Amino acid sequence: IEVRCNEYTGRTPNPNVPWSAHEIAADAAACRDAGASIVHFHARDPLSGAPAWDTASYASVIHSVRARTDVLLNPTLGASTIADPLVRCAHIPELALDPATRPELAPVDLASLNIDPYDPVARRFVAEDLTYVTSVRGLRHEIAAIRGAGVAVQAVLWNVGSCRLLGAFLELDVLPPTVFTEIILS
C-alpha cells in the first residue's frame, strides 16, 4: 500500500494535510502502523504549504521519516509545477549521493494530462489551461537520471496510453525488465 500523504492539497479543504518534515514523518509512521509500506510525499514550506523544490527540504523529510519508521520513500518529481524535465528530477541524484537520504523509489508519470481542478460547488473549473506535459525525451532523461542515481523508477500509469508507453520503454530497454508500477485511478 502506498500513501500519497500531501500532494498539493491545502489546509482549507483538509486541515490535517502534513506540510512540515515532522508532520510528514508522523503521518508516515501512522500509515506504516496501519499497513502502508511506501510513502509518496511532496516537500513543502512548513508555514505556507507552498511546494519546496530544494534538495535540503526533501532531505529534511527523509531524515525525519527514517527516524520514525521504515517505510520506503518515494518523493515527487514536481509533476506539473516544474515544466523542465531536467529540473524536475534534479533532486533525486543529489539525494542519492548520501545513503542517509537516498530514496528507494522515484515516480515517473507516463502521461500528459489536463489537470484543471474542478469545483463542483461553483460548477466551474478553477483554471482551464493547466496541463502536465511529459514528452518521451523528457521521460527518457528522468528515467536515466533516476536509474543512474541507483534509485528504482516507479512507472506511474494514468491511462491506457501510459500502459502502451510502458510497453515501448520495456521493449527499448529504457526501463529494466522488472519495473515498479503504480496505477492511478483518479
Side-chain angles (χ1 to χ4, degrees):
I1 296 172
E2 177 178 300
V3 172
R4 291 177 159 245
C5 71
N6 60 2
E7 298 294 318
Y8 294 113
T9 303
R11 287 194 172 153
T12 299
N14 183 348
N16 301 307
V17 174
W19 287 348
S20 71
H22 174 75
E23 292 165 345
I24 294 169
D27 275 13
C31 290
R32 173 67 172 100
D33 291 346
S37 57
I38 302 171
V39 172
H40 172 76
F41 68 93
H42 293 237
R44 310 274 288 267
D45 177 273
L47 299 177
S48 71
W53 301 119
D54 60 292
T55 302
S57 293
Y58 283 97
S60 176
V61 172
I62 291 170
H63 283 297
S64 293
V65 171
R66 289 195 172 144
R68 297 209 42 185
T69 187
D70 65 347
V71 295
L72 302 177
L73 294 172
N74 185 11
T76 191
L77 296 191
S80 60
T81 61
I82 301 175
D84 184 343
L86 302 176
V87 176
R88 193 180 288 161
C89 68
H91 60 293
I92 300 298
E94 291 172 7
L95 289 167
L97 290 173
D98 181 352
T101 59
R102 178 182 295 121
E104 288 77 19
L105 298 162
V108 175
D109 295 308
L110 300 185
S112 293
L113 307 162
N114 291 325
I115 57 169
D116 304 312
Y118 179 69
D119 180 344
V121 174
R123 296 181 54 140
R124 66 176 181 80
F125 286 96
V126 176
E128 292 200 357
D129 57 1
L130 294 176
T131 56
Y132 174 30
V133 177
T134 59
S135 69
V136 169
R137 182 183 318 276
L139 290 169
R140 282 177 177 269
H141 169 78
E142 290 175 11
I143 291 166
I146 293 164
R147 290 183 71 192
V151 175
V153 172
Q154 179 190 55
V156 183
L157 309 175
W158 291 89
N159 52 33
V160 172
S162 296
C163 297
R164 291 183 180 136
L165 185 55
L166 173 64
F169 278 172
L170 289 169
E171 187 175 311
L172 295 169
D173 296 321
V174 173
L175 288 166
T178 302
V179 64
F180 295 96
T181 59
E182 178 180 32
I183 299 171
I184 303 292
L185 303 173
S186 65

